[in-house]
Structure formats: structure tokens, C-alpha cells
Amino acid sequence: MSMNENEMGMAVTGIPDVTVIIGAYEAMPYLIPCLESVEAQTLGADRIEIVAVNDGSTDGTGEYLDEFAARSKVATRVVHQENSGGPSKPRNVGLDMARGRYVFFLDADDYLGDEALERMVAMADRNGTDVVLGKIEGIGRGAPKSMFGRTLERTDVFSSNIKMTLSAEKLFRRELLEKHKMRFDQQLYTGEDARFTLEAYVRSAGVSVVADYVCLYIVRRDDGKHITQSGSYAMRFDSAKALMDLIAELFPPGEKRDELMIRPFVITLLPQFDHRWLKAKAETREDKLDLARPLMEKYWTPGVARRLKVPERLRMYYVAERRADLLADHLTFLQAKQVPEVIRKSSAAQPYLAYPHFRDKKAGVPDEMFAVTVSEMVGGVRVTAPKAPIRPTPSFARRVVRKLRRMARGLARS
């Protein structure tokens, strides 16, 4: 491993505000706008350092990093290492070298909005929060949106939807990461960022969300070399297991664990059992059910089930029960874009969605699997679960009085 440190650019005096850690593998030409976006930061070159790790590239990535380090006003250190096969080791190497109060893990094919670091550092400093999420926009790909409805000075993983974005491209207080000896799992080749980021959320003294400015632009690579585009499905199950195991380590069985388990079930497992599962070879379909089995046995609970929308819950239920026949019927119904009938006895009653095999005695699927428990759209109409009437618990004194009255009425009748 060789290291080239930028001596020609402006040196960082004291401790930089942010260390931008960039792991780069075969990153040309995406690396060019990525680095330019760091140079363009309004935070100022003297308050930033870059640690770039060339992970065994052969396309000129390493040469471009050396050239950039030699001329940039942003203090830049470049590490050249043999290819590690994933993003974890480059990030860990960068984190070991970081000197900033904060670190930002920037993928080499993405880039920052000009004011991103200035806004995120100001947010963390103002609120004493340890993690800051900046609004994300996709370039040629989708981007998470549900957690960016409004700017939040301080929140946590249970008070907002931040659990649904667990990429590592966020601002982290380095003191938090060092205190808990947090590093990326080098045995994982996808989903390593989810485990790292969720742990940071949970261990943090608070999380902030910048929703009024696009801080990060995530770019779809046309060459298919991004690990999330190219990894095998077995990696997805490894990723789900790693995140589920972490959640179980952090929280005992109960409401909080179930709330966080929604994320690996919906984001990681569900896509393995969508319309593509129908088209897969029989051995692939069976293999996916086999890979899912230990996760379903360990972490599929009634608490998780009632937090899912009906079509999601049914898919997971059929996977848990290994009912490939019912799963196929359900996916065929969804693929045809059919709309289930909403069934309830009255406007205030529990609504059920009549997907295939609803109240089919032969199939034997419990009615509660079809019950609406979270708000969802059905044929363009929002269907919500009934609000259970709140019945105040009577005090001990009132219960005694009521009992005496019932006894008195009984004596009077006799």
C-alpha cells in the first residue's frame, strides 16, 4: 500500500471540520464531478480534507486521484490498495486516517450540492446531533423521499422515517464512531452501510435532517459496476441477516425491535419475492425460500406483520409458511394490477382486502393477514384501520362503588 499526501495544495490548519472519505474502484469518469463537488463546497477548502482510497482500479482512477491531490486546494491524501471486493475496507481505511470533527462517506460516482457540508455541519453544531441526513436527489435512479418531508433539527429513529434510508452517505460525528469503535463489516459486500448507519442512529445523541436543500446527488452508473446493481441475490439475504441480527442485539423482543425490523423486511427481503420471483427458475425460487426460512423463523412476528400493508404482509406470510403456490397466486394478482375488494360490515368496522384466498377454507390463511392495519391506497382510495375506542380505566374507588350498586340492585330485586 502506498500513500500520497497532498503537499502542494493548501494545508489544513488544525482540525478540519469534515473529512470526506471516498472509496473509488473503476470510478472514471464519475470521479471527476465527485471531486469537483468537494472542491466547490461553500464550507471552504481550509475546513475540509479528503481521504481517497483507490481500491485496485485499472481504469485511471488512481492516476486521477494523484493528479487531483497534487493540485487541489483541498488537502487530499490518497491510498492505493489491492482490490478488496467491496466498499467496507476502503471506508475503514479512510476512517482510520480521518482527522475531521465529522466524516462524510461519499461514493465516487455521486456528488454533493455546493452548500451541503456547510449546511450539515451548521445543523450538527447547532443541535449537538451526531448524524445529519441531507436531502437526496437521484440522477437516472430513484432516491429515498419519505424522511425528507421537512427539516428536523433533532429527531431519532423512532420519531421519523430515517430508518428507511441507511446508506452511509451522511455526516457522522467522528467522536461517536470512535467511542463505539464503529467500522464497516468487511465480510459484507452489500448492505454493510445499513448496519453501520442504523447503529449510528441508535447510539447517537440525536439525528438531524436537512430537507430544504439537495445535499447529495446519487448517480446511476451505466456500466453496471455499482455493487448494488451487480451483487447476487444471496448477498441480499446476508445483508438482511446482518441488519436483523444487529437490531436484535440492540433491542429485546417488543415494540421497538418490531418497528425497526420493518426496514430489512420491506427494503431487503420483499424485493426477493416480487414479480421476478415468478419468472425465476424453480431451483432459484426454492433457494430463495430456503435462504429466507431462518430469518422468518427468528424475526417474523405479529408485531412486524401488523406494521406492514396487506400486500406486503401476505407476501411475507406466504414466504414464512413456505406456501409457494399461494405466493404465486398473490404475485400474479399484483402483476395484473388488479384491485382487491374492500370488505367491512360497516363504515367503522375493520376493513379487509380481498386478495386471492381471502376466507378460502382450503388455503387456510388467517383473516388477520388480510386486515388493514396501516393506512394504504386501494384503487386510488385511501383505506385506514379503524381507531379502537379509548375506554378509560376506572379507578379502584369507582369500581368499588359500581360493585356496591350492582349488589344493592340485586338485593332490592330479591
Side-chain angles (χ1 to χ4, degrees):
M1 180 173 72
S2 64
M3 184 177 78
N4 303 314
E5 186 157 355
N6 175 21
E7 300 291 350
M8 300 176 66
M10 184 182 297
V12 172
T13 56
I15 299 173
D17 282 326
V18 184
T19 299
V20 179
I21 297 171
I22 302 173
Y25 171 68
E26 308 287 44
M28 297 298 285
Y30 304 93
L31 181 62
I32 297 172
C34 172
L35 291 170
E36 287 176 347
S37 77
V38 182
E39 281 192 305
Q41 289 300 297
T42 56
L43 183 65
D46 58 331
R47 298 173 63 186
I48 304 169
E49 70 166 356
I50 296 173
V51 177
V53 181
N54 169 33
D55 197 36
S57 302
T58 60
D59 67 342
T61 289
E63 292 81 357
Y64 186 80
L65 286 172
D66 288 340
E67 176 193 330
F68 177 88
R71 62 174 167 77
S72 179
K73 291 182 178 180
V74 179
T76 302
R77 288 175 287 165
V78 180
V79 175
H80 299 278
Q81 65 181 29
E82 292 182 3
N83 181 251
S84 65
S88 291
K89 186 175 180 181
R91 288 176 181 156
N92 287 342
V93 168
L95 190 49
D96 288 342
M97 295 171 60
R99 298 180 295 204
R101 294 190 299 125
Y102 300 98
V103 296
F104 190 97
F105 299 99
L106 180 61
D107 288 354
D109 35 22
D110 301 332
Y111 59 92
L112 298 169
D114 290 353
E115 300 174 22
L117 296 183
E118 182 178 16
R119 287 174 178 253
M120 288 191 284
V121 167
M123 178 70 92
D125 284 347
R126 184 166 64 247
N127 297 290
T129 44
D130 292 327
V131 187
V132 182
L133 288 68
K135 187 175 181 180
I136 303 170
E137 186 171 302
I139 305 297
R141 58 178 290 190
K145 293 182 173 63
S146 63
M147 63 296 304
F148 295 116
R150 61 190 177 94
T151 292
L152 299 172
E153 296 286 322
R154 174 179 289 273
T155 188
D156 60 54
V157 75
F158 298 108
S159 305
S160 63
N161 214 28
I162 61 172
K163 67 178 175 291
M164 301 308 278
T165 175
L166 296 181
S167 74
E169 293 185 279
K170 294 166 179 61
L171 191 78
F172 297 90
R173 191 180 297 273
R174 191 163 65 88
E175 183 182 9
L176 170 78
L177 307 182
E178 297 307 326
K179 177 182 177 181
H180 296 287
K181 298 180 172 57
M182 289 179 56
R183 292 296 187 269
F184 293 89
D185 185 344
Q186 293 180 194
Q187 302 305 308
L188 292 174
Y189 294 101
T190 184
E192 78 297 326
D193 48 354
R195 184 181 170 96
F196 181 93
T197 303
L198 183 65
E199 182 175 358
Y201 286 168
V202 172
R203 297 196 186 283
S204 74
V207 179
S208 298
V209 178
V210 175
D212 56 353
Y213 180 81
V214 178
C215 294
L216 177 68
Y217 295 86
I218 55 174
V219 180
R220 178 179 177 82
R221 290 183 65 148
D222 296 325
D223 57 12
K225 290 183 179 178
H226 195 286
I227 189 72
T228 57
Q229 293 173 239
S230 58
S232 74
Y233 66 78
M235 289 183 183
R236 306 292 187 264
F237 288 94
D238 289 342
S239 169
K241 180 181 184 303
L243 189 56
M244 289 173 165
D245 288 349
L246 173 69
I247 293 168
E249 289 171 22
L250 294 172
F251 296 97
E255 295 291 312
K256 287 186 174 181
R257 181 189 286 191
D258 289 340
E259 181 66 26
L260 294 184
M261 283 292 177
I262 295 171
R263 202 279 180 185
F265 273 106
V266 171
I267 301 297
T268 312
L269 285 189
L270 265 178
Q272 299 306 313
F273 300 98
D274 60 11
H275 62 280
R276 291 167 293 188
W277 183 85
L278 278 176
K279 299 175 185 176
K281 295 178 181 178
E283 55 265 33
T284 299
R285 294 198 299 270
E286 278 296 309
D287 190 34
K288 286 190 174 186
L289 288 171
D290 287 342
L291 289 168
R293 173 184 283 173
L295 303 180
M296 303 305 292
E297 288 176 350
K298 198 170 183 180
Y299 297 124
W300 176 246
T301 67
V304 173
R306 70 170 176 266
R307 285 171 165 80
L308 301 183
K309 295 177 182 177
V310 175
E312 298 171 343
R313 184 192 310 135
L314 284 168
R315 277 157 67 188
M316 288 290 89
Y317 172 79
Y318 295 143
V319 169
E321 297 294 316
R322 290 188 68 83
R323 294 298 304 270
D325 54 339
L326 303 187
L327 177 60
D329 291 346
H330 182 69
L331 292 174
T332 301
F333 185 90
L334 295 177
Q335 193 171 23
K337 297 183 179 179
Q338 297 185 65
V339 179
E341 182 184 356
V342 180
I343 296 177
R344 52 184 152 197
K345 292 181 179 178
S346 68
S347 60
Q350 169 68 60
Y352 296 88
L353 302 186
Y355 282 99
H357 303 293
F358 175 60
R359 290 180 178 164
D360 174 354
K361 290 183 179 179
K362 187 176 179 182
V365 184
D367 279 4
E368 58 260 32
M369 291 298 117
F370 298 89
V372 176
T373 53
V374 295
S375 177
E376 56 183 290
M377 298 297 293
V378 181
V381 177
R382 183 164 296 282
V383 180
T384 58
K387 291 184 178 179
I390 300 173
R391 303 182 68 173
T393 304
S395 70
F396 177 74
R398 287 204 301 272
R399 290 200 302 271
V400 171
V401 170
R402 288 176 184 174
K403 187 174 182 179
L404 289 173
R405 285 175 178 169
R406 286 197 298 271
M407 291 172 64
R409 284 196 296 270
L411 288 170
R413 283 196 296 272
S414 65

